[in-house]
Amino acid sequence: DLDVGFAEKSRLEQQVRQVRERLEAQREQRGGTRTRLSEMSAEVERLFASMDFARLQVEDFERLVGRFRNARAACSEEELAALRRSGRGSGEAEDVMVCHTSARELFQLKEKCRRLGRHKAELEAKQHLLLASQRQIEQDRSYALKAQI
């Protein structure tokens, strides 16, 4: 009878050790998950800021191009010629070059916004996976603590 009690005690102690080992492993995994989640959150915030800045640049540039177009449309050919002769206006080739450069910069900024948007979506998906992993670890931890009691 006493031997059976000691055997049962040894078996229960072994189970408690195993549960504690699993608990410790899950705590370590949870810490790593928290770290990765924090890093991903910081990266997402940085990307949001970068996208906002790029979006503002695009909007400012589009407004500037619009103002140039309106100003150009409001001026007659004689007024433009007078500006060129006075040295305050640029030549037609220079106007075309500025417009072409502006369009290229605008296109590059829009592409950068699209790339950042895709990267943001990827990071949000990773963040979602990390959060799900963290919830699972916490649930496993809860079960381990219940089994220990």
Side-chain angles (χ1 to χ4, degrees):
D1 213 22
L2 190 58
D3 289 336
V4 172
F6 280 132
E8 181 66 18
K9 179 184 175 199
S10 294
R11 186 183 64 77
L12 290 174
E13 286 175 345
Q14 178 64 24
Q15 283 181 340
V16 168
R17 274 194 301 275
Q18 289 172 349
V19 167
R20 283 187 179 150
E21 288 171 3
R22 281 196 336 236
L23 178 64
E24 187 59 35
Q26 289 178 351
R27 282 182 179 161
E28 289 175 13
Q29 186 179 3
R30 183 178 178 202
T33 301
R34 273 192 187 150
T35 302
R36 287 193 312 270
L37 181 61
S38 296
E39 290 170 353
M40 291 290 188
S41 294
E43 179 68 11
V44 166
E45 287 180 27
R46 187 190 66 76
L47 285 173
F48 272 129
S50 179
M51 278 181 52
D52 287 342
F53 179 72
R55 190 174 295 120
L56 289 174
Q57 282 183 321
V58 167
E59 289 170 359
D60 288 345
F61 195 74
E62 285 175 340
R63 277 193 295 274
L64 180 64
V65 169
R67 279 187 281 167
F68 282 143
R69 283 186 186 138
N70 291 340
R72 182 132 177 114
C75 294
S76 67
E77 285 299 319
E78 294 85 29
E79 291 171 325
L80 289 174
L83 282 174
R84 285 188 198 107
R85 281 192 302 272
S86 69
R88 293 189 315 210
S90 61
E92 190 67 30
E94 291 169 343
D95 289 345
V96 169
M97 194 63 161
V98 166
C99 184
H100 179 69
T101 302
S102 300
R104 185 179 47 220
E105 289 173 355
L106 181 62
F107 177 76
Q108 289 171 348
L109 286 172
K110 284 182 179 180
E111 283 300 311
K112 183 178 179 182
C113 282
R114 284 189 201 108
R115 282 193 310 270
L116 287 172
R118 284 192 301 266
H119 190 62
K120 178 189 129 198
E122 291 170 5
L123 287 175
E124 285 175 340
K126 286 180 184 178
Q127 183 180 26
H128 179 71
L129 289 174
L130 287 171
L131 286 170
S133 173
Q134 185 177 13
R135 279 192 299 272
Q136 183 63 43
I137 289 170
E138 288 173 359
Q139 188 178 33
D140 292 346
R141 179 176 173 254
S142 175
Y143 290 147
L145 287 173
K146 285 180 184 177
Q148 186 178 9
I149 294 176

